[in-house]
Every structure is written in structure tokens, then in C-alpha cells.
């Protein structure tokens, strides 16, 4: 009776809690006010516009008005790092194989040695084997739950915010050293558990037959909303010193090409034509770049050359002229650009392999690890070449460079910086630089500390915080639009997270409530069954008495 009373009280207390937590979990973007930023910059307006998307008639009226609608809405994730079998004990180290080996050991002992052997085996089973088995079980449960935790973040945000595009900024899995079978297993989990309703960008959508060719799509093409724009990370294919053709090929088969770019044409809504101050239809140039092979020494110089050839083809043939303000360049890559120590959590760091070649799996003295791209690649390959920026104030358009934004991953803590040319730059430490070199050297400061008036040239780089549970299940919501009144591009970005402890607690409480509810239901059925039998016994008892009389 005590157990029954306790179960009833627990159920009455837990049901309201379970309902509240479940409602919060599946509507957490609503409670957090997560929404793609609006043109006005108002948080309330952004939330209202997101809400209106779930009411078609109201939203349709806004879509017809380009002063309200934000056509490019990018849902951004970074570093899910799906782990797998490599983080679990080997099959032969499982509890049952260990027990079988213990039994074989006992059976092989002489009669007089069996008691001490049994004692030693029992101690090992209780103090080592069972705890290790429980730890392995916990790890399996953690891997299983983590997949659905990440999947919940994607599904809930995708449903609520309705992005036009989605990207994952690298480190899709947790190790580049896994076997092909394990790689395929993690890929299956990525597409069936985490991003279950999505698919990768097909090769034919982004493959170019000629360097001067350009793939162009409408920005409001709904088909891109269910495509995942995957960026290659070091845990997917390795760093420069250990990237092989085999690792890159299997990544591209599973997740899409590592280097590609497309251009999205701006939709022309009612009234736009009359206010357009540019000669061309505004467009957004999306560039996906495998930055992991840009620094040296690389294991495969041919693969490195291919990436540089790709980058040069973009710069030479598909970038708009620097003075063309109708084009916005959005760079998606994994490795952050160089930053002075103290700017972000990750300081500049490079490490290299030793004298051996690891059996041919990496290059001796090749690049083993890096926190940032090198200063040279960051400055010449990205800021000056790709974005066309310089310190030449005599030609304002050329000096300022192309409008754009850089999104990176890798640094799990995340960072938001402003790369700019400064006379007091700490980037270049060389003592033989000329005055002109020092005058046009680059620096980086936190976005919140930047001062627009102090720099003629600059671009923002957002290193997205990881979406792993240890980092708060973070996601980025990027809005990009063209202001036809000023003839300039604009963007805003908001972060949105979900505490992993809330996810686990909600599901544990829901399971307890489900168990208590089933217990209460079964108990009610049994009580009702007993009462019906008792009633039947009372109904036949008078006849039985007469028969005896």
C-alpha cells in the first residue's frame, strides 16, 4: 500500500512538471526569443515576423513587400563531432567475453587453486569488469542520446525559424582516423538522426565545366532549405600534413564537395525595380572553402595545388569587381583566420609531425595541427585576394574591399572579431618590414570593441560556438539583405542555444511519468477486475444458500 500511495503522489507531482518541461523543450526557440534578425534591428519585430511565418495569409502579405522580408536566412551550426565505436570498448573487452575468460581460467586451475582463483576473479569482476561495463553502457546511451539531442536542435529551429539555407561549419564527425566502416556509420547517423529530413548538396548543382562558368540560383528557391551545406573540418579529413585523397574522397561521397561556390540572385519583389539604385540585380556569392590544405607542409601537394587552383579560379573568374557593391561575399570555411594572442580563446598554434611517416598516413614534419590559418594565408589569400581589401585610401571602393562576412568553426568556444587595417597592428612582427608594409598590416579585435571610425578597411569573422552539449547546443541565425535605398548590403546575426541537461532531464522525467502512468493503469484494471469478481460472487450466494436448504 505504501508503494501505491507513493506512486500516486509522485505521479501527481511529476505530471505538471513533465508537461512544462516538454512544452519548453519543443518550443525552446519561442521561449528564448530565437528568430532571424529583422531589417529594423528590433528583437520584437524579428519575433513577430517569425511568428507570422506560421500563419500563411499574414506572411504572404509580407513576402510581397521587400522592405519587410529577409530573403537569405542561414541557419548555422558548427562542430557536432559525432563520436562512435572508437570511443567504446572493443567487442572482446565486453562483460560477457570477460566472464567467459574468467570461467575458462577457473576451469583450468587445479582443485587446490580454485578457491583463491575464484576470490581473485570475483574481486576483479565486482571492482573492475562490472564498473567498466556500466561505463561503456553509459557511453553508448550518451552517444545515442547526443544524436537525438543535436537532431532536436536542428528540427526545432528549422521548424520555428524556417531558414532559407542551412550550413554545418566542419567537424561533422569526431575523428579523421576512423575506418571506412565507422565513417559510414557516423555518416548514417548524421543523415538519419541529426539531420533526418535533410540531404547533402548534390555534386551536379555545384560542379563547373569551365573556370569562367558560374552556378546561379534564385535566393528564394525553397529546395535549398532542406539541403545541408557541409564544410570539411580537420576531424573529417585531417590537417594538411595528413589529408589524403582517400579521406577527402569518402568525405565528399558522404557529405558533399569540399570546394565550391554558387551565386544566389536577389528576389525582385513588388516595387523593387523602381527603387533599385544598382545596375545589376543584387546577388550573394556563397563560397565553401577547404582551408585545411592552405598551409604547409601538406601531405599531398597535388591536393593543395587543386585547392589553390580553385581559389584562384574564384578570384579570377567569378568574383564581382571590388567596386560592384551589388554583390555580397559569404565565405564558409572551418579554420579561423589568424588573430593575435588574447583576441579569442584559441591562441595562434602550429604543431608538426616527427621524423617518421606513421606508416605512410602522414607526412614527416608535415602540418599536424593548427588553431588558425597562418598570418600569410589569412592576409594575402583571404582578406586581400578573396575580399579585395587593401590600405589604399585613394581608391575608396578598392580600399574597402567587397562587402561580405566570414563564418568559421574549429574554436569550440566561439569568437566574433573585426579584421581591419590599423597603424598600430600587432599582426606583423617582422623587423624588416617597410613603413608601407607596417602601415597596411592587419589587426583583429573583438567585434564588440571595434570602432568603425578607426579603420577604413575591415571585415567581420564569426567563429561559431560548437553545437555540442558541453557548449550549450549553440546555433547561429544569420539574416542578410540588400538595402535598395542605400545600395548597400546589410546583415545581422543572433545566437540560440539549448542546455543539454534540460534535454536529458525532460526525457528522464517523461519516462518516469510514463512508467508511473502504466503502473497506475495496470493497478486500476486489476482493481476493477477484482471488484467485478466480488460482485459476481455476491450475486450467486443467495441461490447457493437455497440449494443447500
Amino acid at each position: 500500500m505504501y508503494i501505491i500511495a507513493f506512486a500516486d503522489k509522485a505521479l501527481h507531482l511529476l505530471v505538471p512538471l513533465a508537461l512544462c518541461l516538454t512544452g519548453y523543450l519543443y518550443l525552446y526557440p519561442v521561449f528564448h526569443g530565437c528568430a532571424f534578425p529583422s531589417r529594423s534591428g528590433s528583437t520584437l519585430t524579428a519575433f513577430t515576423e517569425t511568428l507570422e511565418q506560421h500563419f500563411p495569409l499574414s506572411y504572404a502579405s509580407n513576402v510581397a513587400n521587400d522592405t519587410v522580408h529577409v530573403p537569405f536566412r542561414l541557419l548555422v551550426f558548427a562542430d557536432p563531432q559525432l563520436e562512435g565505436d572508437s570511443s567504446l570498448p572493443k567487442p572482446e573487452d565486453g562483460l560477457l567475453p570477460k566472464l567467459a575468460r574468467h570461467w575458462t581460467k577457473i576451469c583450468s586451475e587445479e582443485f587446490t587453486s580454485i578457491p583463491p582463483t575464484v576470490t581473485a576473479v570475483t574481486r576483479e569482476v565486482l571492482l573492475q569488469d562490472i564498473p567498466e561495463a556500466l561505463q561503456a553502457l553509459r557511453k553508448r546511451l550518451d552517444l545515442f542520446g547526443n544524436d537525438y539531442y543535436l537532431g532536436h536542435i536542428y528540427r526545432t529551429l528549422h521548424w520555428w525559424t524556417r531558414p532559407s539555407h542551412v550550413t554545418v561549419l566542419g567537424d561533422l564527425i569526431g575523428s579523421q582516423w576512423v575506418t571506412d566502416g565507422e565513417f559510414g556509420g557516423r555518416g548514417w547517423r548524421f543523415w538519419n538522426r541529426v539531420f533526418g529530413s535533410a540531404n547533402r548538396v548534390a555534386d551536379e548543382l555545384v560542379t563547373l565545366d569551365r573556370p569562367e562558368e558560374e552556378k546561379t540560383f534564385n535566393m528564394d528557391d525553397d529546395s535549398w532549405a532542406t539541403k545541408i551545406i557541409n564544410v570539411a573540418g580537420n576531424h573529417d579529413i585531417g590537417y594538411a600534413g595528413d589529408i589524403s585523397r582517400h579521406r577527402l574522397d569518402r568525405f565528399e561521397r558522404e557529405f558533399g564537395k569540399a570546394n565550391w561556390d554558387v551565386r544566389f540572385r536577389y528576389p525582385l519583389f513588388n516595387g523593387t525595380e523602381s527603387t533599385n539604385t544598382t545596375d545589376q540585380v543584387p546577388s550573394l556569392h556563397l563560397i565553401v572553402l577547404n582551408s585545411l590544405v592552405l598551409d604547409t607542409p601538406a601531405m599531398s601537394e597535388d591536393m593543395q595545388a587543386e585547392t589553390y587552383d580553385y581559389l584562384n579560379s574564384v578570384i579570377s573568374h567569378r568574383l564581382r569587381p571590388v567596386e560592384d557593391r551589388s554583390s555580397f561575399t559569404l565565405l564558409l570555411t572551418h579554420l579561423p583566420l589568424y588573430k593575435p594572442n588574447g583576441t579569442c580563446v584559441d591562441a595562434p598554434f602550429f604543431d608538426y609531425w616527427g621524423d617518421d611517416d606513421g606508416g605512410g598516413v602522414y607526412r614527416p614534419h608535415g602540418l599536424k595541427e593548427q588553431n588558425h590559418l597562418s598570418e600569410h594565408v589569412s592576409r594575402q589569400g583571404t582578406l586581400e585576394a578573396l575580399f579585395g581589401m587593401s590600405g589604399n585610401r585613394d581608391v575608396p571602393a578598392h580600399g574597402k574591399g567587397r562587402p561580405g562576412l566570414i563564418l568559421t568553426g574549429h574554436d569550440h568556444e566561439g569568437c566574433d572579431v573585426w579584421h581591419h587595417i590599423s597603424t598600430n597592428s600587432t599582426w606583423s612582427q617582422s623587423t624588416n618590414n617597410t613603413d608601407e608594409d607596417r602601415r597596411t598590416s592587419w589587426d583583429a579585435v573583438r567585434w564588440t570593441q571595434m570602432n568603425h571610425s578607426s579603420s577604413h578597411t575591415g571585415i567581420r569573422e564569426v567563429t561559431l560556438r560548437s553545437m555540442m552539449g558541453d557548449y550549450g547546443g549553440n546555433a547561429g541565425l544569420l539574416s542578410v539583405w540588400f538595402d535598395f535605398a542605400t545600395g548597400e548590403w546589410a546583415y545581422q546575426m543572433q545566437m540560440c542555444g539549448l542546455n543539454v541537461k534540460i534535454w536529458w532531464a525532460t526525457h528522464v522525467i517523461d519516462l518516469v511519468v510514463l512508467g508511473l502512468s502504466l503502473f497506475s493503469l495496470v493497478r486500476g484494471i486489476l482493481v476493477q477486475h477484482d471488484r467485478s469478481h466480488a460482485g459476481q460472487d455476491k450475486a450467486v450466494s443467495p441461490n447457493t444458500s437455497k440449494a443447500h436448504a
Side-chain angles (χ1 to χ4, degrees), residues 57-69:
L57 293 179
S58 177
Y59 182 64
S61 64
N62 282 342
V63 169
N65 184 358
D66 71 289
T67 63
V68 176
H69 180 54

Side-chain angles (χ1 to χ4, degrees), residues 231-469:
V231 176
N234 56 282
H235 285 297
D236 304 316
I237 61 174
Y239 289 99
D242 52 82
I243 293 177
S244 65
R245 177 69 63 184
H246 176 73
R247 293 193 185 101
L248 182 61
D249 286 347
R250 73 180 183 180
F251 173 86
E252 293 191 328
R253 284 194 302 269
E254 189 70 41
F255 299 112
K257 293 176 70 65
N259 289 313
W260 56 274
D261 61 295
V262 296
R263 187 171 293 277
F264 293 101
R265 289 187 299 262
Y266 205 85
L268 296 180
F269 299 113
N270 293 337
T272 298
E273 295 85 346
S274 60
T275 59
N276 188 357
T277 59
T278 66
D279 296 331
Q280 300 186 54
V281 174
S283 61
L284 184 146
H285 191 186
L286 178 73
I287 301 174
V288 177
L289 178 65
N290 173 18
S291 57
L292 291 156
V293 293
L294 296 181
D295 280 306
T296 58
M299 181 177 179
S300 172
E301 294 181 353
D302 290 340
M303 292 177 59
Q304 186 178 60
E306 289 174 5
T307 297
Y308 271 103
D309 287 344
Y310 162 75
L311 190 57
N312 287 328
S313 70
V314 172
I315 296 170
S316 301
H317 301 290
R318 295 189 293 281
L319 287 176
R320 294 287 189 267
V322 177
E323 61 272 15
D324 182 0
R325 312 309 291 176
S326 70
S327 179
F328 185 90
T329 303
L330 178 60
L331 175 62
L332 307 180
T333 191
H334 183 65
L335 288 175
L337 272 62
Y338 177 87
K339 305 168 188 67
N341 188 18
T343 307
C344 299
V345 173
D346 282 353
F349 173 79
F350 282 80
D351 191 17
Y352 301 89
W353 292 106
D355 294 332
D356 65 284
D357 64 355
V361 296
Y362 53 79
R363 173 174 176 168
H365 304 289
L367 183 54
K368 180 181 179 181
E369 185 180 356
Q370 61 186 125
N371 282 351
H372 302 154
L373 290 170
S374 65
E375 177 182 352
H376 174 78
V377 170
S378 299
R379 174 172 51 85
Q380 291 192 352
T382 305
L383 298 173
E384 295 179 358
L386 195 58
F387 285 91
M389 297 181 174
S390 71
N392 188 352
R393 294 172 181 267
D394 297 331
V395 186
H398 288 270
K400 293 179 65 176
R402 297 179 177 88
L405 176 68
I406 302 170
L407 297 180
T408 57
H410 196 57
D411 184 344
H412 294 171
E413 294 290 347
C415 196
D416 193 351
V417 301
W418 175 251
H419 296 279
H420 65 282
I421 291 175
S422 172
T423 55
N424 298 319
S425 174
T426 58
W427 265 50
S428 183
Q429 304 297 329
S430 176
T431 58
N432 59 359
N433 286 338
T434 65
D435 293 339
E436 179 66 16
D437 289 334
R438 285 191 290 271
R439 183 180 71 83
T440 60
S441 58
W442 286 84
D443 199 359
V445 296
R446 290 272 186 167
W447 173 253
T448 54
Q449 301 171 352
M450 63 89 72
N451 183 0
H452 284 288
S453 62
S454 66
S455 174
H456 172 75
T457 301
I459 192 164
R460 184 179 179 184
E461 176 196 4
V462 179
T463 300
L464 208 74
R465 186 178 176 88
S466 170
M467 71 180 299
M468 290 187 287

Side-chain angles (χ1 to χ4, degrees), residues 30-87:
V30 181
F31 288 102
H32 291 190
C34 299
F36 282 104
S38 68
R39 289 171 177 251
S40 66
S42 167
T43 302
L44 179 60
T45 302
F47 185 84
T48 302
E49 290 177 0
T50 303
L51 185 63
E52 287 177 345
Q53 292 183 90
H54 298 271
F55 298 93
L57 293 179
S58 177
Y59 182 64
S61 64
N62 282 342
V63 169
N65 184 358
D66 71 289
T67 63
V68 176
H69 180 54
V70 175
F72 191 85
R73 305 175 307 280
L74 182 66
L75 180 58
V76 191
F77 301 105
D79 300 77
Q81 290 197 7
L82 299 188
E83 294 183 341
D85 290 348
S86 60
S87 62

